Amino acid sequence: MLTKRLLFAVMFILMLVAGGVQAGGDAAKGAELAAADCADCHGDDGMGDEDNPKIAGLDPAEHIKMLKGYKSGEIPDEDEMMIDSVSGLSDQDMADIAAYYAGLGG
Ligand code: HEC
């Protein structure tokens, strides 16, 4: 009886943990989006170059904020380099991409 309850409790906690990871962004999905949409400019590893800022290792919350800022126009995209890439991204896409780049570089 006690063991069964304990098992349920552990399963419940595991579900919460797994759910939390999902909501924070799926890095594997982000890797696909990034390869198609961001790597041309920011590099395969997100390290950037003289024309493009480094985005590897960014804090995910900060990264999402910047992507949303470009999308809404709140962050001026003077060279209009970013707008095409972010205009088609959903909030979930941004979270996935941010999760992917957070794991790179550093
Ligand atoms: C056409 C080239 C290009 C593409 C594609 C591109 N970027 Fe950028 N990105 C830039 C440039 C250049 C800047 C610097 C600001 C500017 O000129 O708009 C920048 C700025 C940024 C910044 C702000 C960095 C900082 O420290 O201020 C982030 C974050 C970013 N890009 C992420 C992304 C992500 C994620 C993608 C894919 C969805 C992407 N970029 C696609 C060229 C690009």
Side-chain angles (χ1 to χ4, degrees):
M1 195 59 182
L2 185 66
T3 341
K4 217 174 188 180
R5 271 196 201 168
L6 193 67
L7 199 68
F8 272 122
V10 169
M11 273 168 57
F12 185 66
I13 289 167
L14 283 178
M15 271 165 55
L16 283 184
V17 170
V21 169
Q22 201 68 23
D26 179 344
K29 197 149 175 287
E32 287 174 27
L33 291 167
D37 208 13
C38 323
D40 275 354
C41 297
H42 292 280
D44 286 335
D45 50 7
M47 294 304 278
D49 56 28
E50 63 271 18
D51 296 321
N52 303 285
K54 174 187 167 189
I55 57 172
L58 278 181
D59 175 66
E62 273 300 306
H63 198 163
I64 291 168
K65 221 170 119 188
M66 289 195 264
L67 296 180
K68 284 187 177 166
Y70 283 120
K71 190 175 175 181
S72 69
E74 205 174 305
I75 301 178
D77 182 20
E78 275 156 24
D79 310 325
E80 299 195 350
M81 295 304 245
M82 284 297 296
I83 189 67
D84 282 349
S85 301
V86 295
S87 58
L89 297 179
S90 68
D91 286 0
Q92 186 62 52
D93 292 339
M94 293 182 191
D96 294 346
I97 289 170
Y100 168 64
Y101 280 113
L104 296 183

